[in-house]
Amino acid sequence: MARRFTRALTLLPAFALAVTAASCAEEVNTGGDSEAGGEITLVNEGKLTTCTHLPYKPFQFTENGETVGFDVDLVDLVAEELGVEQEVFDTSFESIESGAALDTGQCDLAAAGMTITEARQQVMDFSEGYYDAHQALLVKKGSDISDMSDLKGKVLGMQLGTTGEKYAEEHKEEFGYTTRQFEDLALLQTAVKTGQVAAGINDDSVLYDYVENNPDVEITTEFDTGEEYGIAVRKGNGALLAKINEVLDAAKDDGRYDEIYEKWFGQKPESE
């Protein structure tokens, strides 16, 4: 199956985002309020613009100058259905999960390995869940840390704005550790590998992918948090949301979803 990818755009400076949000000189098309079956309007003509935060391998990351990954392939199916190409925009995860990236017209949708939560549903609309996720603990191999109870008096690293951060903060007092925020996944993983923090918490899939290529670290425990990833659109953009769900359902029915899953995770998804 032919798939099209575009290079991730560079992160806008903070002042540029502020100008975009505040300026009234040119109206930004953010999809507006629409219903299923209605006309789908895009931020950039001929492009389906996706906000994400790199790297988050294997969901989205840069390889040979292109943005690739599980999420990228899934959104490509939506772009193909619309007869356009996907364009990936790399921005901060905080701006994505707060809804700001969608509200200011940076993108049509957000696909960033993002868990559907009640708080996020207040500021954006989500597709049906397309991936089940759990939290996991990453440590240096040979450490004495097997679970959260071994972190007393130590530092636990977490990625800003993630459900891993929320989980870590909720259990900090219980287990007696301190926390340290990192802007992205790569910084967090490096901090564990180099001993800057005793452990790191994040979604299991991205940590297992990292362990495969870094034998000096390991995952010692997982936490079943019952999370599901969803593709997000601006709140009220029912036309695009319905199309995303339609494409996801069709891909699961005709086997394309399984093919993409196996491509990035080495096996087909478990049957429900």
Side-chain angles (χ1 to χ4, degrees):
M1 183 188 304
R3 296 183 177 87
R4 300 177 294 249
F5 304 105
T6 56
R7 292 192 178 186
L9 302 182
T10 55
L11 177 63
L12 279 176
F15 75 86
L17 176 58
V19 171
T20 302
S23 175
C24 296
E26 183 177 347
E27 184 178 352
V28 176
N29 177 13
T30 57
D33 291 335
S34 57
E35 297 180 355
E39 182 181 359
I40 295 174
T41 57
L42 302 176
V43 170
N44 299 303
E45 186 177 354
K47 303 284 186 181
L48 180 63
T49 308
T50 301
C51 273
T52 196
H53 181 58
L54 303 171
Y56 208 67
K57 187 180 179 184
F59 295 92
Q60 51 272 326
F61 62 103
T62 302
E63 184 175 75
N64 299 323
E66 294 181 323
T67 304
V68 299
F70 180 67
D71 285 359
V72 179
D73 279 5
L74 287 182
V75 176
D76 258 350
L77 299 181
V78 180
E80 290 168 8
E81 177 71 16
L82 295 175
V84 298
E85 291 189 359
Q86 178 183 182
E87 187 166 68
V88 180
F89 181 78
D90 183 20
T91 189
S92 71
F93 188 71
E94 187 176 18
S95 73
I96 294 172
E97 67 106 21
S98 68
L102 293 164
D103 289 342
T104 56
Q106 292 185 43
C107 47
D108 300 298
L109 59 83
M114 182 165 56
T115 298
I116 302 168
T117 68
E118 289 185 8
R120 290 169 182 167
Q121 286 176 316
Q122 298 301 310
V123 294
M124 64 187 80
D125 289 335
F126 279 97
S127 71
E128 62 187 46
Y130 66 87
Y131 183 84
D132 295 330
H134 310 286
Q135 295 300 310
L137 202 64
L138 181 73
V139 302
K140 290 194 72 170
K141 185 165 286 187
S143 76
D144 58 354
I145 300 169
S146 60
D147 56 35
M148 301 287 266
S149 63
D150 296 321
L151 287 172
K152 185 175 182 179
K154 296 180 172 66
V155 181
L156 174 63
M158 56 195 189
Q159 184 182 350
L160 180 66
T162 62
T163 49
E165 178 186 38
K166 183 175 183 291
Y167 190 92
E169 292 293 351
E170 287 175 347
H171 294 84
K172 182 165 61 174
E173 187 174 335
E174 176 185 356
F175 293 112
Y177 54 77
T178 57
T179 55
R180 180 176 172 186
Q181 290 179 331
F182 293 89
E183 175 65 24
D184 61 44
L185 175 65
L187 292 174
L188 170 61
Q189 292 168 330
T190 299
V192 174
K193 185 172 182 176
T194 58
Q196 299 174 51
V197 294
I201 187 169
N202 211 296
D203 292 359
D204 55 349
S205 294
V206 294
L207 295 185
Y208 277 116
D209 184 88
Y210 184 71
V211 166
E212 284 187 11
N213 299 304
N214 294 272
D216 51 344
V217 293
E218 62 182 344
I219 292 171
T220 54
T221 189
E222 293 183 35
F223 315 103
D224 187 358
T225 49
E227 298 178 43
E228 279 191 308
Y229 290 170
I231 297 171
V233 301
R234 180 182 178 273
K235 202 154 188 67
N237 191 354
L240 180 56
L241 185 64
K243 178 58 67 175
I244 293 169
N245 282 329
E246 176 188 314
V247 171
L248 288 175
D249 286 342
K252 289 177 180 178
D253 287 342
D254 63 25
R256 287 176 296 164
Y257 177 88
D258 286 0
E259 289 178 4
I260 293 171
Y261 193 103
E262 187 172 17
K263 172 184 174 181
W264 294 108
F265 301 106
Q267 61 184 22
K268 292 185 177 180
E270 295 181 5
S271 301
E272 295 183 358

